[in-house]
Amino acid sequence: MIASVPDITLCHGDEDLRGKVLVTPCTDIAQVHVVVCGHSHVAPIRRAVVGRGEKTAAALGIAVAASSTSKSAEFWDFVTGLTASRDLAVVWTGNQVNAWFMFAPRAFDFVPSATPDCEIIDGAEIVPEAIVRDHFCSSLAGLGELLDKAGKAPGFRRYVLGTPPPLRDAELIRRRLTREPHFAALAQHMGVDLDTVPITPWQVRLKLWHVLQQLMQEIADEKGAAFVPAPSVAIDSDGCLKVDYSVGDVTHGATNYGEAHLDDLAAHLREAA
């Protein structure tokens, strides 16, 4: 802990995320000009702002809002209160592709309107893209609501940060699944064995991810926010997350991923200054 003001604590690490906390190299709330917030994918950025990205964060006044109850209404009220006079960057959900579509006991695929000539998995059931979009939309409703609540304060900017693409290697994913309680519970619910259930092909998971990112960008555009996609340095030639930018589970980016995303956000901030 490095400083505190009424109801808000400024921290230089992950020591204690209870209450209303800003993780930042800044030593005074007056130095904070940009608040980054979100769900689990904000964690690598949080580590970056007090790690190798510390100089960048300090120079631009970047802080990551954190809490042990980051999904609570109180937390989002805390965020929107701060960003009435500061820039806002939000990482909203992002785990839907893996959490909902990791397993494929029955193969499916779809044809994205953006890439109608894409390859289709042999023998897969083809579903309409509209169904995929509708399936994701409900999980993103809160993003639009947050941006509405934050408002378009004159002189202050809003950003939506993209989330990591899926990993490519199905066998690597299968090995990591053993450490993931969510997927163990999901497999049990589906009545499948983690050791043998087919992993949804990376091509399909990547298409699903593109739809999710497209929806995020559409919401950003509608609400007057800029969309900052997943950092290109962390993405391989197929469009998947590079293994060395993965934290070690099947979903999240590592600290170097957060550093790269912080650099991309910083470039947007400097360009808009």
Side-chain angles (χ1 to χ4, degrees), residues 126-203:
I126 307 302
V127 301
E129 181 187 23
I131 290 179
V132 175
R133 286 177 59 91
D134 287 347
H135 193 75
F136 285 138
C137 275
S138 61
S139 65
L140 296 174
L143 173 58
E145 293 168 3
L146 176 65
L147 292 172
D148 280 338
K149 190 167 184 178
K152 300 175 182 178
F156 299 105
R157 298 154 292 182
R158 276 69 178 111
Y159 299 90
V160 174
L161 307 184
T163 51
L167 289 164
R168 187 185 195 282
D169 188 338
E171 290 311 309
L172 172 66
I173 290 170
R174 194 181 301 281
R175 290 195 299 272
R176 292 183 175 185
L177 284 174
T178 59
R179 305 194 295 269
E180 298 267 6
H182 167 82
F183 292 103
L186 178 62
Q188 184 176 21
H189 175 74
M190 295 175 64
V192 297
D193 187 335
L194 274 181
D195 293 331
T196 59
V197 62
I199 303 296
T200 298
W202 67 267
Q203 297 94 329

